[in-house]
Amino acid sequence: MAMSFFDQFASPSYLGIPLIAIAIALPWVLYPTPSSRWINNRLITIQGWLINRFTNQLMLPLNVGGHKWALLLASLMVFLITINMLGLLPYTFTPTTQLSLNMGFAVPLWLATVIIGMRNQPTVALGHLLPEGTPIPLIPVLIIIETISLFIRPLALGVRLTANLTAGHLLIQLIATAVFVLLPMMPTVAILTATVLFLLTLLEVAVAMIQAYVFVLLLSLYLQENV
């Protein structure tokens, strides 16, 4: 029984074909395509307003050079939110519970920010490894520590997203199992547990959106250091 709780995180396959590709491609099908008309419907108008507000908020601390990343970061934000939200539906698979997928997002984008910093302003980029006013005996130690912290950044991005979503899904499954077990024996306790389950589901909806926002926000902060 304990192992079956983790079966939901296994990548499903059909006739030997992994279905994670369909789960990754599905979110883009759900979004309406903007038309060439001057006046759009309400759904497209709200979608465009939300994306514009998010992009403006995200690009506010960046200079003009970092605004080239607006389309990439906004698309990544929408993509992660949609995948996380769809994963809360029954009988669905959440690709972002896979560390390999999250690292596939985190490592290339983090590496791109580092390469941009080394190419455009190598002195400033390397200056982050040594804080100003450091005593001479501590210089080698601090350089090693800052270098390690620099390379841990993509790992922290991927693990944070994976751990939060995995923990939420496990809690939902554990409490839902408790509701079904307690219902024939103690209906009152089962109803109270179901109420907790409903509140936890609302919390997980918020976590799904917040974690996607934090992922993209941290990438923008890494970009801000290098542009």
Side-chain angles (χ1 to χ4, degrees):
M1 174 64 75
M3 291 301 296
S4 64
F5 288 146
F6 294 91
D7 290 343
Q8 59 178 317
F9 304 117
S11 179
S13 59
Y14 182 72
L15 298 178
I17 301 174
L19 300 181
I20 188 173
I22 299 178
I24 293 175
L26 182 61
W28 302 119
V29 182
L30 302 178
Y31 283 94
T33 304
S35 63
S36 58
R37 301 175 181 176
W38 284 9
I39 301 178
N40 293 315
N41 57 35
R42 293 183 179 89
L43 181 60
I44 296 179
T45 302
I46 294 175
Q47 172 184 307
W49 181 81
L50 290 175
I51 293 177
N52 287 334
R53 291 292 299 174
F54 166 74
T55 306
N56 292 335
Q57 185 71 24
L58 198 64
M59 295 293 112
L60 191 60
L62 299 178
N63 57 23
V64 179
H67 292 178
K68 301 174 184 177
W69 286 61
L71 179 60
L72 175 62
L73 294 179
S75 302
L76 180 62
M77 169 78 172
V78 173
F79 180 69
L80 290 178
I81 285 181
T82 309
I83 283 185
N84 295 345
M85 297 290 286
L86 290 177
L88 294 173
L89 297 176
Y91 303 103
T92 56
F93 171 68
T94 311
T96 44
T97 56
Q98 306 294 311
L99 183 60
S100 57
L101 177 67
N102 296 332
M103 294 301 293
F105 285 134
V107 173
L109 295 173
W110 164 82
L111 188 59
T113 61
V114 174
I115 291 176
I116 287 175
M118 295 298 294
R119 186 188 65 179
N120 295 340
Q121 44 184 12
T123 304
V124 177
L126 293 176
H128 292 301
L129 302 179
L130 184 63
E132 186 177 357
T134 304
I136 295 178
L138 295 179
I139 288 179
V141 179
L142 280 180
I143 290 178
I144 294 175
I145 293 175
E146 291 296 331
T147 303
I148 293 175
S149 67
L150 177 66
F151 284 97
I152 282 179
R153 284 179 174 182
L155 182 62
L157 280 176
V159 170
R160 180 187 294 106
L161 183 59
T162 304
N164 281 281
L165 295 179
T166 302
H169 284 63
L170 279 176
L171 279 175
I172 288 177
Q173 186 169 2
L174 285 170
I175 297 178
T177 304
V179 171
F180 282 106
V181 171
L182 292 173
L183 189 59
M185 298 183 297
M186 293 180 286
T188 305
V189 178
I191 293 174
L192 293 176
T193 309
T195 305
V196 174
L197 177 62
F198 175 73
L199 296 177
L200 179 63
T201 305
L202 295 181
L203 178 63
E204 283 304 308
V205 171
V207 168
M209 295 186 289
I210 291 172
Q211 289 303 317
Y213 176 73
V214 168
F215 189 92
V216 177
L217 179 63
L218 289 176
L219 280 175
S220 69
L221 294 178
Y222 300 157
L223 180 64
Q224 182 181 355
E225 295 179 358
N226 294 283
V227 294

